[in-house]
Amino acid sequence: MDDRMERFIEKAKELGSHEAKFIDPATVKTAPWVIMKCRYGCGRYNTRLCCPPHTPTYTETREIIDCYKTALLVHCKSWDIVTPIIAKLEKEIFLSGYYKVFGFGSGPCKSCRPCNMVKCIKPQEVRPAMEACGIDVYETVRANGFPIDVVKDFDCEQNCYGLLLID
Ligand code: SF4
């Protein structure tokens, strides 16, 4: 990993994340079952341009991940701050010269109510969630030493994640 990348961890914290860590992209787990949680478990399925079925399949995501040498896993304590942080970090990393950088956020887009479902009007701010692209977030973060548990109610501690692929 390029030593200059270390500053992106500090930037992630400045933007409001709890912590961030560089990981091997090979540890990012993709799986065919993940889409079922969106298709049959989420009322926002097919109501946002950044949600399934408009997102890459798990096999496409795997091919994309395998194009990268490193990744930054970003841990946040609230899901709704993840995607804004990832979008800002992606821009900063891109402008530093890592032209291939691409970020994944968490949860559905909340920007417009409703989404126009034709063409995104805020492409700089919107990134698909890890899970929306077939990434098994639980297995990925546990493999990299971060906490995550099933959230049973709104009082439970939240451990939410975003991911940046960097090369
Ligand atoms: S920013 Fe608006 S148009 Fe773009 S995905 Fe989100 S809700 Fe849809």
Side-chain angles (χ1 to χ4, degrees), residues 48-50 109-112 114-116 119-122 126:
R48 307 284 193 284
L49 287 169
C50 59
C109 182
K110 301 195 307 178
S111 290
C112 321
C115 178
N116 66 52
K119 182 175 170 54
C120 183
I121 62 166
K122 298 178 184 174
V126 174

Side-chain angles (χ1 to χ4, degrees), residues 19-147:
E19 55 187 334
K21 184 199 280 187
F22 283 102
I23 66 167
D24 181 350
T27 66
V28 178
K29 174 78 174 174
T30 52
W33 63 265
V34 180
I35 185 68
M36 302 302 272
K37 297 294 183 182
C38 296
R39 189 176 293 166
Y40 299 108
C42 181
R44 292 177 181 155
Y45 180 77
N46 201 15
T47 64
R48 307 284 193 284
L49 287 169
C50 59
C51 285
H54 309 283
T55 45
T57 65
Y58 81 99
T59 51
E60 290 171 325
T61 302
R62 181 79 261 155
E63 286 182 354
I64 292 163
I65 291 168
D66 291 344
C67 294
Y68 290 82
K69 293 192 181 79
T70 193
L72 185 63
L73 189 57
V74 179
H75 178 197
C76 297
K77 287 293 186 180
S78 174
W79 77 269
D80 54 347
I81 64 171
V82 177
T83 304
I85 290 173
I86 290 295
K88 286 178 186 142
L89 273 173
E90 185 192 295
K91 182 177 180 183
E92 170 130 350
I93 295 168
F94 176 79
L95 292 175
S96 300
Y98 300 97
Y99 65 92
K100 284 169 64 176
V101 62
F102 187 81
F104 299 86
S106 177
C109 182
K110 301 195 307 178
S111 290
C112 321
R113 293 169 192 260
C115 178
N116 66 52
M117 296 302 289
V118 177
K119 182 175 170 54
C120 183
I121 62 166
K122 298 178 184 174
Q124 295 89 349
E125 299 175 19
V126 174
R127 291 296 177 269
M130 294 170 71
E131 62 275 18
C133 299
I135 295 172
D136 179 344
V137 179
Y138 285 80
E139 190 162 329
T140 299
V141 305
R142 285 173 177 163
N144 287 287
F146 283 115

